[in-house]
Each structure stands twice: as C-alpha cells, then as structure tokens.
Amino acid sequence: MKIIIGFISLIAIILGYFYFFTGYKSAFEADQQCHYELRLKSAELEGLGCDHDLETNQWLLYQKGINDKPSKVVERYHY
C-alpha cells in the first residue's frame, strides 16, 4: 500500500513539474509566442486569433467558428 501511495505521489510531482516549469515566465512571453504562431499558421488555417484567458492564466490561439459553430482552440500558452 505504501508503495502505491509513493508511486502516485511521484507521478503527481513529475506532472506538476512539467506543468509549472515548462510554461512561459510571463504573460508577455506567452502573448508574443501566440502572435508569432498566429503569423506562421495563418497561411494554412483561416480565421485565426489570439485571446488572453485571465481565469486560467494562458493565451489561446484559436480558429474562429464558421456558420455559428463555436471557435476551436488550436494551441494554449500557459504562464
């Protein structure tokens, strides 16, 4: 039982490390990356945009919905 709890704790620590330490250090960096990707991917995808989500501290690269369909998130840049 102790081995299972230790293994689950180790997995949680590793996932937490990747989530918190692999993101951008500021909203400015995430914004710059989102707009850079917007320029690169605008040739292959139409109706792209970048938006800041304050609740989750991330910038979203999204494709605008067509014919009253919801927008689709292409990439997330958390900070």
Side-chain angles (χ1 to χ4, degrees):
M1 186 65 165
K2 291 180 182 179
I3 294 174
I4 293 173
I5 293 172
F7 185 69
I8 292 172
S9 299
L10 181 63
I11 290 174
I13 290 170
I14 291 171
L15 291 176
Y17 172 80
F18 280 113
Y19 181 77
F20 290 110
F21 295 113
T22 59
Y24 297 95
K25 299 201 185 314
S26 69
F28 176 75
E29 291 176 352
D31 170 45
Q32 292 294 303
Q33 186 64 35
C34 184
H35 284 90
Y36 173 74
E37 296 283 334
L38 173 71
R39 287 189 301 273
L40 289 180
K41 293 183 179 181
S42 63
E44 57 190 61
L45 297 173
E46 292 184 26
L48 290 179
C50 282
D51 193 22
H52 186 218
D53 185 1
L54 293 172
E55 293 177 3
T56 59
N57 291 337
Q58 61 187 354
W59 276 88
L60 303 172
L61 177 64
Y62 66 94
Q63 186 175 20
K64 297 174 188 170
I66 301 171
N67 297 331
D68 295 327
K69 291 184 180 179
S71 297
K72 177 182 166 188
V73 175
V74 177
E75 191 77 37
R76 297 173 190 268
Y77 307 96
H78 72 275
Y79 60 91

